């Protein structure tokens, strides 16, 4: 199995966010998880990404249980991309040794090539503080290019298009198709239409993960 969760619970202070959540995901399976604001969707993904320690329950991702090792197996695209005040290239490679060919492959797959080649500094152009020199769509495409370049077996998506207008969101969904091809995918969202073609759709409600009613 690609992802195994057994009775995962998580609290912020006294507030329980996840209550004995269990989930098994097969390799290359695409899972959609629906939930409203504050339902714990982002918390669940951060546990799966190895960003939060598991204090109650069991979490295994791509055969790894230790958070530091899990992080190497996961690529994550959030609603608000976490960009560094560095160049486009550095935001894609994140300090890892990635060949120029692989960087450009990621740029092309994320539908960034035309824009990057028009920039005077190309890949060496600075994105600004928190991506302030970019539009929302450009920033999100860089985050997708980063995930593509990492080439991790598990992809976690947290509302990656919800802050964008319809046309930009559609273009990004096409880029996400390239990112998720042949990968295990867990996509949390409040918009069912973005995951309607997935293998399974679940619902996170009141801390419980439930099968979606047909």
């Amino acid at each position: 199995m690609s992802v195994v969760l057994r009775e995962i619970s998580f609290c912020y202070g006294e507030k329980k966010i996840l209550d004995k959540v269990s989930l098994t995901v097969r390799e290359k399976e695409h899972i959609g998880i629906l939930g409203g604001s504050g339902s714990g969707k982002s918390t669940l993904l951060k546990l799966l990404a190895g960003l939060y320690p598991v204090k109650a329950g069991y979490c295994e991702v791509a055969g790894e249980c230790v958070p530091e090792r899990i992080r190497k197996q996961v690529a994550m695209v959030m609603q608000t991309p976490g960009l560094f005040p560095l160049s486009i290239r550095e935001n894609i490679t994140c300090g890892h040794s990635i060949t120029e060919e692989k960087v450009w492959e990621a740029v092309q797959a994320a539908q960034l090539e035309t824009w990057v080649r028009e920039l005077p500094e190309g890949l060496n152009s600075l994105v600004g503080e928190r991506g302030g020199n970019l539009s929302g769509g450009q920033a999100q495409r860089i985050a997708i290019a980063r995930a593509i370049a990492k080439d991790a077996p598990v992809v976690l998506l947290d509302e990656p298009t919800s802050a964008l207008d319809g046309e930009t969101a559609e273009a990004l969904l096409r880029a996400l198709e390239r990112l998720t091809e042949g990968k295990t995918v867990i996509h949390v969202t409040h918009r069912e239409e973005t995951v309607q073609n997935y293998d399974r759709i679940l619902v996170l409600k009141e801390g419980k993960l439930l099968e979606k009613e047909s």
Side-chain angles (χ1 to χ4, degrees), residues 54-65:
V54 174
K55 296 180 179 178
Y58 175 81
C59 175
E60 179 181 313
V61 179
E64 301 291 354
C65 303

Side-chain angles (χ1 to χ4, degrees), residues 1-212:
M1 291 298 173
S2 190
V3 173
V4 178
L5 296 182
R6 295 198 196 106
E7 298 199 333
I8 291 286
S9 294
F10 192 88
C11 299
Y12 290 117
E14 297 297 317
K15 184 178 181 181
K16 180 167 281 190
I17 304 298
L18 301 175
D19 185 11
K20 295 184 178 179
V21 168
S22 295
L23 174 66
T24 301
V25 183
R26 299 186 305 274
E27 186 177 354
K28 299 183 181 180
E29 189 176 15
H30 287 200
I31 301 295
I33 298 178
L34 304 177
S37 178
S39 62
K41 303 188 306 296
S42 296
T43 299
L44 178 61
L45 279 202
K46 288 173 181 175
L47 285 162
L48 287 169
L51 299 178
Y52 288 172
V54 174
K55 296 180 179 178
Y58 175 81
C59 175
E60 179 181 313
V61 179
E64 301 291 354
C65 303
V66 179
E68 292 78 7
R69 294 180 178 176
I70 288 176
R71 289 196 286 269
K72 295 179 181 179
Q73 305 300 320
V74 168
M76 194 170 186
V77 181
M78 308 286 286
Q79 178 178 347
T80 303
L83 299 185
F84 307 106
L86 302 169
S87 68
I88 295 171
R89 182 196 308 279
E90 289 166 308
N91 271 283
I92 292 173
T93 63
C94 288
H96 300 296
S97 179
I98 299 176
T99 66
E100 189 76 357
E101 180 182 6
K102 288 291 185 183
V103 170
W104 277 108
E105 284 178 3
V107 166
Q108 291 163 358
Q111 301 183 357
L112 280 168
E113 183 178 14
T114 300
W115 170 66
V116 170
R117 291 195 184 279
E118 290 174 350
L119 295 172
E121 300 296 324
L123 285 171
N124 295 320
S125 302
L126 298 177
V127 305
E129 191 71 33
R130 297 184 180 178
N133 296 344
L134 312 174
S135 70
Q138 289 163 346
Q140 198 65 300
R141 282 191 183 92
I142 290 173
I144 291 171
R146 174 195 295 166
I148 291 170
K150 187 175 183 180
D151 195 26
V154 179
V155 176
L156 305 178
L157 305 176
D158 187 358
E159 305 268 18
T161 64
S162 64
L164 306 172
D165 61 64
E167 186 175 339
T168 303
E170 282 298 319
L172 275 166
L173 284 172
R174 290 193 293 272
L176 285 168
E177 287 177 5
R178 291 289 302 275
L179 166 61
T180 58
E181 186 176 349
K183 308 288 188 182
T184 302
V185 180
I186 299 176
H187 183 159
V188 301
T189 181
H190 68 280
R191 298 166 56 193
E192 185 174 348
E193 63 270 20
T194 62
V195 295
Q196 60 185 356
N197 295 322
Y198 278 33
D199 298 309
R200 281 189 288 153
I201 299 177
L202 306 173
V203 177
L204 188 59
K205 186 176 182 180
E206 296 178 353
K208 299 286 190 181
L209 193 59
L210 311 167
E211 294 286 342
K212 181 181 176 297

